[in-house]
Each structure stands twice: as structure tokens, then as C-alpha cells.
């Protein structure tokens, strides 16, 4: 677990790279692969700037990504598989790399998509950018598979040193381009990019990704969230963006300010329904906590339930994994 936690921190690290340590890691990776050390190391302020820097390299030679990253990784995986056996290797991966894989892989893919979108004005541009991205070693975002081998030999010491100290990097025979790490990273409890007041991920040169609970959104869309009104929400044609607006604005506030009428009430609460053009209805159950707050008041909660819900009791039961007829609490808390 110590390796998982340290590599989780690496994957999420922000702030200036340790350039000297990262460059030492690059040289170590080249030596470990039996290659001459690169003659030139170029720094870029983001993966987007890294692609642009690669495109400007002159006489850099072939990509040596396979030599410094892919082949050593494959050799170490084979060694560990032979040493531990199928079950042992599976257990090791489950306890280490698998803990980080989903979030780091998703983040890397979002960065790729953002770089392609920023640098592509035509289909040919997109193809060219993707080819350059194929040459990249992901640095800190290779944390998942590096965690699986930490403490089990030094064959991957070079790539691991770069990952601990910098972002993505592009290794060629005679030149290397290395990217800085992000300056900010905001994620929700599920590890998805998420920020309502600016970029969810940003780099020193301004390259940034905007997202709300994992969904990519335009920067100008986020800027308008502070001035939302029920009319503006109803007028949004994009169903996904409208859903973001509702989450940000608050379903309870929207119901109150839009003059919505309850569709059902019983001893468990009040059922509300918001009909949305081009999207499924939003259905909420309003319930009151029977346990008083320290000041004697009772807090109201809003529970989102499936659109098919017909009664408040059915909605509350659904939150407990029951059907309406089976839900009969002995005592409310």
C-alpha cells in the first residue's frame, strides 16, 4: 500500500517539475536501454507545447520510446509473471497498479483529446498530432504500472525518476522533450475532472481542460454558471449541459424558483417532477429528517430517484434498494 499511495501522489502532483532530477532520470533510462545519452533536452510548459516542440526538432533521430519504456516494462512484467505465477501476478496488479489505473488512464486520455482539439484545424492536423502523441512517455501519468514494479528491481528506475519529477516526455535518439506538470488539478470523489470555478486541469502555458463531474464543458459555459436562472436552464438545448446547470443551481432551488408543483405526497415525503425537453424527467423526493438539528430545526433533503417513480414512498424505498411495498421503516432517523 505504501507504493500505491506514493504513486497516487505522483499521478496527482502539481507544481514546477524538478528539472535536474527529471533529466537525470532520462539519462538513466537511456543508459539502461543501452543507448547513448541524448545530446539535447528541451522543456515545454504542457503536453500541448511538448507536441509543438517535437514538431520543431531538427535531426532528433528515431523515437526510442520502445527502448526506454515499452521493452523494459514488458521484460519486467514477464519476469514478475514467471516469478509469481499467474495468480501471484494478478494479486500484485490488483493491489498496486489496478488501484490507480482507471483514474490515471482516463486523465491521460482527456489530456490527449485536449491537445488534439487545440492543435488541429484540419483532419490532417489531427492525424499528425496523434502520431506525435504516440511517441510520448506519460511521466507522472504512468504511475499505475510503475507502482506495480516499485521496490522490485531497478530496471525501471529511469522512467520512474522522470515520472516522480515531471510530466510527459518524448525520447528520441539525440533529443528529448519533457513537459512540466500541471499547476492545478481538481477532481471529484470519483477521481473525475471536476471544477465549477475555472479549469479542472491547467498547465503553466494556459493549456487547460474544463469539466464538471467528469464531463467536458466549454470555459465560457462555466463562466455563466454564477448567473443562472430557471429560464436560462430551460432554454439550454444541450441536454448534458442542462443537467450540469441543474446540478450546479440545485434541484431544490430550481423547483422553488420555477414554481413547480408536487405530483405526489405521503407519509414519507413529497415527490417532485421536472419535465425537460429532449431529456428524461428529473424526479426528486423531498424528505424531512425526523432527527432535529442542535437548534431544534429539521433538515430537508432532496433525493433524486428514477424517472419511472410514481410515489414518494416508492422513491424513498428505491434509495434503500427496496420496492415501495417492502419499505416500512419501524423508526425514522
Amino acid at each position: 500500500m505504501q507504493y500505491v499511495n506514493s504513486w497516487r501522489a505522483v499521478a496527482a502532483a502539481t507544481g514546477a517539475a524538478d528539472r535536474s532530477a527529471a533529466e537525470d532520470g532520462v539519462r538513466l533510462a537511456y543508459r539502461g536501454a543501452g543507448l547513448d545519452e541524448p545530446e539535447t533536452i528541451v522543456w515545454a510548459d504542457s503536453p500541448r507545447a511538448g507536441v509543438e516542440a517535437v514538431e520543431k526538432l531538427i535531426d532528433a533521430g528515431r523515437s526510442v520510446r520502445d527502448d526506454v519504456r515499452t521493452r523494459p516494462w514488458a521484460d519486467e512484467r514477464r519476469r514478475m509473471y514467471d516469478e509469481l505465477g499467474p495468480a501471484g501476478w494478478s494479486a500484485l496488479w490488483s493491489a498496486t497498479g489496478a488501484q490507480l489505473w482507471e483514474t490515471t488512464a482516463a486523465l491521460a486520455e482527456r489530456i490527449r483529446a485536449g491537445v488534439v482539439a487545440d492543435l488541429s484545424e484540419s483532419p490532417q492536423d489531427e492525424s499528425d498530432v496523434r502520431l506525435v502523441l504516440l511517441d510520448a512517455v506519460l511521466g507522472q501519468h504512468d504511475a499505475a504500472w510503475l507502482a506495480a514494479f516499485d521496490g522490485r528491481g531497478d530496471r525501471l528506475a529511469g522512467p520512474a525518476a522522470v515520472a516522480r519529477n515531471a510530466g510527459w516526455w518524448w525520447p528520441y535518439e539525440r533529443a528529448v522533450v519533457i513537459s512540466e506538470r500541471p499547476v492545478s488539478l481538481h477532481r471529484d470523489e470519483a477521481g473525475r475532472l471536476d471544477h465549477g470555478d475555472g479549469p479542472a486541469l491547467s498547465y503553466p502555458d494556459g493549456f487547460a481542460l474544463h469539466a464538471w463531474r467528469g464531463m467536458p464543458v466549454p470555459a465560457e459555459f462555466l463562466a455563466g454558471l454564477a448567473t443562472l436562472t430557471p429560464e436560462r436552464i430551460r432554454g439550454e438545448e444541450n441536454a448534458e449541459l442542462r443537467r450540469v446547470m441543474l446540478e450546479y443551481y440545485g434541484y431544490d432551488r430550481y423547483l422553488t424558483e420555477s414554481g413547480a408543483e408536487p405530483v405526489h405526497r405521503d407519509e414519507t415525503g413529497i415527490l417532485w417532477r421536472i419535465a425537460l425537453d429532449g431529456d428524461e424527467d428529473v424526479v426528486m423526493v423531498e424528505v424531512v429528517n425526523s432527527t432535529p438539528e442542535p437548534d431544534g430545526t429539521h433538515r430537508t433533503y432532496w433525493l433524486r430517484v428514477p424517472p419511472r417513480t410514481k410515489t414518494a414512498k416508492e422513491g424513498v424505498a428505491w434509495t434503500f434498494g427496496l420496492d415501495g411495498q417492502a419499505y416500512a421503516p419501524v423508526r425514522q432517523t
Side-chain angles (χ1 to χ4, degrees):
M1 183 58 73
Q2 61 174 325
Y3 296 126
V4 174
N5 290 336
S6 65
W7 282 105
R8 181 178 285 111
V10 167
T14 57
D18 185 331
R19 294 193 173 192
S20 177
E23 291 178 8
D24 286 344
V26 166
R27 297 186 183 97
L28 179 58
Y30 272 61
R31 293 195 302 271
L35 301 171
D36 292 336
E37 295 179 8
E39 301 165 10
T40 304
I41 295 180
V42 177
W43 280 87
D45 279 340
S46 69
R48 179 187 64 186
V51 169
E52 293 176 312
V54 167
E55 293 175 333
K56 295 175 183 176
L57 291 176
I58 298 174
D59 194 29
R62 68 176 178 89
S63 169
V64 294
R65 181 182 186 274
D66 284 351
D67 302 78
V68 301
R69 190 270 195 195
T70 306
R71 194 170 300 119
W73 177 88
D75 290 346
E76 286 301 283
R77 182 186 182 281
R78 187 177 304 109
R79 181 178 69 83
M80 295 307 304
Y81 187 90
D82 291 343
E83 178 181 320
L84 300 174
W89 165 253
S90 178
L92 173 64
W93 176 252
S94 296
T96 55
Q99 304 294 315
L100 310 178
W101 178 259
E102 186 174 346
T103 54
T104 54
L107 179 57
E109 185 52 40
R110 287 293 308 280
I111 292 171
R112 285 192 194 95
V115 171
V116 170
D118 271 19
L119 296 180
S120 301
E121 296 182 2
S122 69
Q124 183 57 51
D125 289 340
E126 180 174 334
S127 178
D128 292 343
V129 172
R130 289 190 183 279
L131 284 174
V132 175
L133 287 169
L134 287 176
D135 288 340
V137 181
L138 302 187
Q140 67 183 116
H141 299 137
D142 273 331
W145 65 267
L146 287 169
F149 301 105
D150 202 350
R152 297 178 176 272
D154 59 5
R155 178 75 190 279
L156 298 171
V162 183
R164 288 191 179 98
N165 294 289
W168 295 20
W169 54 293
W170 285 259
Y172 297 91
E173 284 181 297
R174 290 178 288 278
V176 173
V177 173
I178 313 177
S179 167
E180 281 283 348
R181 295 183 294 205
V183 294
S184 66
L185 172 65
H186 301 274
R187 295 189 285 195
D188 64 10
E189 63 280 357
R192 302 171 299 184
L193 288 177
D194 177 51
H195 198 44
D197 298 317
L201 178 76
S202 63
Y203 282 84
D205 62 353
F207 172 64
L209 301 176
H210 296 78
W212 176 266
R213 298 185 180 177
M215 191 182 87
V217 295
E220 58 272 18
F221 171 82
L222 289 179
L225 290 180
T227 57
L228 282 177
T229 63
E231 293 74 24
R232 170 74 182 87
I233 294 172
R234 285 194 295 271
E236 175 55 55
E237 296 181 355
N238 184 304
E240 289 187 332
L241 294 182
R242 188 168 56 212
R243 197 172 299 122
V244 171
M245 290 175 169
L246 279 167
E247 290 178 354
Y248 187 91
Y249 197 73
Y251 293 107
D252 54 341
R253 181 183 174 193
Y254 179 86
L255 288 167
T256 300
E257 296 184 7
S258 63
E261 295 289 336
V263 296
H264 182 266
R265 68 175 72 224
D266 56 30
E267 71 278 9
T268 63
I270 304 173
L271 186 72
W272 300 82
R273 182 178 298 272
I274 305 172
L276 299 173
D277 292 339
D279 198 4
E280 66 179 17
D281 290 355
V282 173
V283 180
M284 311 285 293
V285 179
E286 177 186 356
V287 297
V288 177
N289 189 354
S290 61
T291 302
E293 299 296 309
D295 63 0
T297 62
H298 292 263
R299 181 176 296 181
T300 297
Y301 292 93
W302 298 80
L303 310 174
R304 185 168 182 180
V305 296
R308 65 176 183 274
T309 304
K310 297 294 190 293
T311 68
K313 183 178 181 181
E314 180 185 348
V316 174
W318 177 84
T319 67
F320 289 99
L322 303 171
D323 61 39
Q325 293 181 341
Y327 179 68
V330 175
R331 179 172 61 92
Q332 280 191 304
T333 59

